[in-house]
Amino acid sequence: MLLHFGADELYAGIGLPEWDSAYGGGLWINRRDPAAGNLFSFQDVLKITKLAHEKEAAVYITFNSPFYPHDSVGPILRFCEKLVALAEIDGLIVSDLNFLIALGKEKLPVKIHLSSLGACTNSESVEYYGFLGVKRIILPRHLNLSEIESIVKKNRLNMEFEVFAVNDGCYFEEGFCQTSHALGPFCMTDWTPEFFPGSGKKIGKEALMKDMERFREFLWYQNNCGCSFQSEGLPNGPCSLCRFGQFRDWGVSAVKIVGREASFYRKMRSLQLVAEVMTEVRRNSTWDAVEALAKKLRNTPQYCEKGYMCYFRET
Amino acid sequence: MELAFHVRDLKQEISEHILIRHLRSFYPENVPADFGCSSEKIYRLYIGDEFCFHRLPSLKEIREFSRFSQNHTAGLTFLTPPMTDRHLEKCAPLFACLENDCPGAEVVTNDPGVLWHVRKKYPGLRLAAGRLFNKGFKDPRFVWPWDDASMSESMQNALNESTFRHRTFLEHLSSINVRRIEQDILPYGSGISRGLSDMGVSVYFPFGVVTTGRLCQAESRKGKGREKFLIREDCLRPCTHQVLELVHERFQFRLFQNGNTIYYLYPAAVLNTVFTSVEGSFRLVYQGFAL
């Protein structure tokens, strides 16, 4: 279905029996819920890769846990060898530096992508990750447009870049967040802030509650506007569709549709939305024309106007 | 054991005696009486910030800190946050000043790009890998849903694991001239990376880091509508006089928010581990003055 609707690349997670027996549900093998966001078997990878390659699409498998316990690195590496040799996947998406270094030593004939959890925010990091064998960097959400422009333009001859296109914002920088989605997104926890005495100018309860209201409103947008859809059935949520023209001209290689654990319908509609804007981009349309089309397709001027749906905002 | 103080400015009074008094504001009922550092001497100052570019000192302040460090024969460590290309450009005078005015100064990097940059351009500065490199399990909501006996050995070990516990990574750091690692004590474990034999080890107290990012709730208090929750190029640092405690029944330990970062306060038993399990060559970094 995703190939039919125009995906040039697919990415997926997959579990490992050794992992499940060691950690149960306590730790996830990658950043998403294994039940909803992962493929179930090696056979699935074989089938998907075959189908994708027939359509000249690439397949990437993600091992993007922020860190892997020492004993798990060996089994995951052996599994990656199998994915490369037998399933002929095109790439691995990685964030843990230990795992990245271990992969570099293995010299598998596969492209290594740095997950957004690698939190690459500057050109020197690009050089460092290149030194570790990374061929593509998925830029994190916490950059503004001019920062993306700077990184991509300076490094596009030596590195591929991917940016987020639609879905699933993140209040904290995911690469620095040491909580687990296995317990639900941490930022969505309904905590109560209390002023800590002695830390300075006191803030009253009422002001703190107002802050929390605004914070929760922002989180609502980050959480795909409460996981809602607009009137034509397209998914609401964070996006960068208006900026695809800039991404094209700066040299961004790929745009990412987030949410591999989302429903079939949400994935399909997200892809249709992105594909339509990409068609306009490939016509060499102006930045303004791309933005106008994106806003027209979105058809949620009240949300766009708020600004909270944009991944990459500029002051 | 070396004792270091993370400070914001030179007006702050700092000594081990004041540290104990200060710590009492976080541990009203269970204050450790002794920190094993009998001298009132200031061994080392930590300046700068690990999580926010806007909290870095100015060039003038860096010069003052350097002078203070020379006059008091105290070491100087400059904490740096994740940075963008523009931030790195802006930091050039700070790094250059430290390299020239303060021989032996350390730079703690929390971003591989900053590490790579300082290594290439400022070889006179000593490099340390900061806490953001050291990923581990710190979710304050974690409760094993079954009895502890049913937790596998692997899972128990995982709660004690972090990036710095992998020898391969330490060797990699060493190969790129990193001479020190900086770490928290994990909230569900007691493990501390001992580093390599030729590598310094720092342990922070009384806070560990749960999460951070470039959006800041304190800064977002001002402004209207779409001006809120923006990554900004300037900031009036409202966080310098504002610490919030975050309260929720699921939190297994106390959480504090300062600016863009959420910290956990070590439970008293964990704090005790800091003083009983760290070795003589370790450095303790008191962070409470800098929040």
Side-chain angles (χ1 to χ4, degrees):
Chain A
M1 178 274 288
L2 296 174
L3 294 169
H4 172 77
F5 284 110
D8 302 309
E9 302 178 348
L10 302 175
Y11 69 98
I14 183 166
L16 261 180
E18 295 96 316
W19 179 279
D20 294 339
S21 60
Y23 306 109
L27 280 187
W28 288 352
I29 195 166
N30 55 53
R31 195 64 175 161
R32 297 287 175 176
D33 181 354
N38 280 355
L39 300 175
F40 292 108
S41 71
F42 182 73
Q43 296 304 317
D44 289 344
V45 185
L46 279 174
K47 271 187 225 162
I48 287 169
T49 312
K50 187 169 177 291
L51 275 172
H53 287 176
E54 280 170 10
K55 299 257 183 196
E56 296 183 348
V59 175
Y60 305 117
I61 300 294
T62 181
F63 289 97
N64 66 341
S65 174
F67 79 101
Y68 285 106
H70 198 271
D71 293 346
S72 67
V73 173
I76 297 176
L77 271 179
R78 299 289 81 78
F79 189 59
C80 288
E81 282 174 8
K82 191 173 156 188
L83 288 169
V84 174
L86 302 180
E88 298 180 346
I89 62 162
D90 301 277
L92 290 162
I93 303 173
V94 177
S95 63
D96 175 29
L97 279 167
N98 277 309
F99 187 51
L100 191 52
I101 290 165
L103 264 178
K105 286 184 180 163
E106 293 286 311
K107 298 198 188 314
L108 296 179
V110 70
K111 266 174 76 176
I112 308 292
H113 292 191
L114 182 75
S115 156
S116 60
L117 273 83
C120 174
T121 57
N122 56 61
S123 296
E124 294 281 7
S125 288
V126 174
E127 194 179 313
Y128 171 77
Y129 285 119
F131 168 75
L132 293 182
V134 170
K135 299 294 178 207
R136 180 189 288 184
I137 290 174
I138 304 167
L139 292 173
R141 295 171 177 88
H142 283 203
L143 288 171
N144 61 34
L145 283 170
S146 56
E147 291 162 352
I148 293 174
E149 181 182 13
S150 168
I151 294 173
V152 175
K153 280 185 172 172
K154 282 181 192 165
N155 301 284
R156 62 189 173 192
L157 297 180
N158 305 312
M159 185 67 76
E160 287 181 11
F161 293 97
E162 181 175 323
V163 295
F164 283 80
V166 289
N167 298 337
D168 295 9
C170 203
Y171 180 79
F172 296 102
E173 172 51 65
E174 203 175 0
F176 303 141
C177 191
Q178 299 187 56
T179 66
S180 171
H181 282 175
L183 300 166
F186 172 70
C187 55
M188 302 296 285
T189 313
D190 196 17
W191 60 64
T192 306
E194 290 178 0
F195 181 75
F196 187 68
S199 66
K201 219 164 30 185
K202 184 169 177 165
I203 308 165
K205 266 195 177 161
E206 209 174 297
L208 287 174
M209 287 305 117
K210 260 197 181 146
D211 282 355
M212 283 307 285
E213 263 175 45
R214 289 186 206 108
F215 176 57
R216 285 176 190 136
E217 183 192 14
F218 182 72
L219 290 180
W220 183 83
Y221 281 92
Q222 299 300 294
N223 186 31
N224 301 323
C225 303
C227 299
S228 61
F229 294 83
Q230 45 86 292
S231 54
E232 283 96 40
L234 292 170
N236 293 322
C239 89
S240 65
L241 294 166
C242 290
R243 305 301 167 209
F244 278 17
Q246 284 91 325
F247 295 159
R248 171 198 63 202
D249 295 345
W250 296 341
V252 169
S253 306
V255 290
K256 183 185 192 76
I257 297 171
V258 191
R260 59 192 156 83
E261 85 281 36
S263 67
F264 166 86
Y265 183 77
R266 190 174 185 93
K267 275 185 195 134
M268 180 185 74
R269 297 298 272 154
S270 298
L271 176 58
Q272 287 174 323
L273 178 64
V274 170
E276 196 156 344
V277 181
M278 281 302 292
T279 304
E280 186 72 11
V281 167
R282 285 170 178 149
R283 280 193 201 115
N284 235 1
S285 300
T286 62
W287 295 359
D288 287 346
V290 172
E291 181 173 346
L293 174 69
K295 284 188 171 156
K296 187 175 152 217
L297 290 170
R298 271 282 184 214
N299 197 20
T300 51
Q302 71 283 21
Y303 294 166
C304 289
E305 181 54 33
K306 186 81 182 175
Y308 289 179
M309 279 211 317
C310 307
Y311 281 128
F312 311 115
R313 301 167 68 201
E314 204 75 55
T315 47
Chain B
M1 184 163 61
E2 186 185 17
L3 184 60
F5 300 93
H6 183 194
V7 294
R8 288 282 159 216
D9 58 56
L10 288 172
K11 288 180 212 136
Q12 288 179 286
E13 279 188 274
I14 43 170
S15 71
E16 190 191 342
H17 174 68
I18 295 169
L19 181 161
I20 291 171
R21 211 174 58 199
H22 198 247
L23 208 51
R24 287 199 174 117
S25 61
F26 299 110
Y27 297 89
E29 288 173 7
N30 198 354
V31 185
D34 188 329
F35 295 92
C37 307
S38 55
S39 168
E40 288 293 299
K41 174 178 160 53
I42 296 161
Y43 296 95
R44 179 168 287 274
L45 282 187
Y46 271 51
I47 60 170
D49 197 273
E50 303 159 271
F51 312 115
C52 181
F53 180 79
H54 299 302
R55 293 178 76 157
L56 291 186
S58 65
L59 181 58
K60 181 172 169 269
E61 288 167 320
I62 286 270
R63 286 197 179 114
E64 286 167 3
F65 280 125
S66 295
R67 238 183 337 264
F68 179 91
S69 151
Q70 306 284 326
N71 293 343
H72 290 76
T73 57
L76 192 64
T77 299
F78 180 35
L79 294 165
T80 61
M83 295 196 204
T84 62
D85 286 348
R86 203 156 33 216
H87 292 158
L88 278 168
E89 280 169 29
K90 285 184 178 173
C91 265
L94 307 187
F95 291 134
C97 172
L98 271 181
E99 190 177 41
N100 292 329
D101 296 2
C102 199
E106 285 176 353
V107 175
V108 175
T109 61
N110 282 288
D111 172 333
V114 178
L115 194 163
W116 206 243
H117 178 75
V118 174
R119 173 179 172 266
K120 281 191 305 191
K121 307 263 181 178
Y122 308 96
L125 295 171
R126 295 174 67 83
L127 276 170
R131 292 193 280 181
L132 287 183
F133 277 101
N134 193 30
K135 309 281 198 288
F137 188 84
K138 297 176 172 181
D139 198 307
R141 302 163 298 168
F142 180 72
V143 180
W144 189 247
W146 307 282
D147 62 285
D148 281 354
S150 68
M151 192 190 288
S152 68
E153 198 184 330
S154 300
M155 187 64 203
Q156 287 176 45
N157 290 339
L159 296 178
N160 242 330
E161 283 251 12
S162 68
T163 314
F164 289 166
R165 305 268 303 206
H166 292 235
R167 188 174 176 85
T168 324
F169 188 62
L170 297 175
E171 285 168 355
H172 167 71
L173 288 177
S174 182
S175 74
I176 54 174
N177 299 338
V178 174
R179 296 286 166 253
R180 174 171 289 277
I181 52 172
E182 311 269 316
Q183 63 193 312
D184 296 326
I185 297 199
L186 295 170
Y188 301 104
S190 56
I192 302 171
S193 171
R194 313 253 152 202
L196 298 175
S197 58
D198 59 348
M199 198 173 249
V201 175
S202 303
V203 178
Y204 288 61
F205 75 104
F207 300 109
V209 184
V210 176
T211 186
T212 186
R214 292 180 74 195
L215 301 178
C216 179
Q217 227 175 321
E219 202 282 331
S220 290
R221 182 162 292 125
K222 70 176 172 67
K224 285 184 185 162
R226 45 186 308 141
E227 292 166 28
K228 292 182 181 296
F229 305 109
L230 271 175
I231 295 169
R232 292 196 171 275
E233 274 308 301
D234 58 341
C235 179
L236 295 172
R237 300 188 192 180
C239 56
T240 50
H241 46 76
Q242 182 192 108
V243 177
L244 302 177
E245 178 159 9
L246 307 181
V247 180
H248 194 275
E249 59 190 12
R250 287 183 72 192
F251 294 163
Q252 302 300 305
F253 30 80
R254 294 176 76 186
L255 292 193
F256 291 89
Q257 183 172 33
N258 182 225
N260 61 350
T261 304
I262 293 181
Y263 302 87
Y264 57 98
L265 182 72
Y266 295 165
V270 175
L271 184 69
N272 213 30
T273 311
V274 175
F275 303 111
T276 53
S277 68
V278 296
E279 292 172 355
S281 59
F282 280 27
R283 177 189 295 166
L284 289 181
V285 183
Y286 185 65
Q287 198 194 8
F289 292 134
L291 252 57

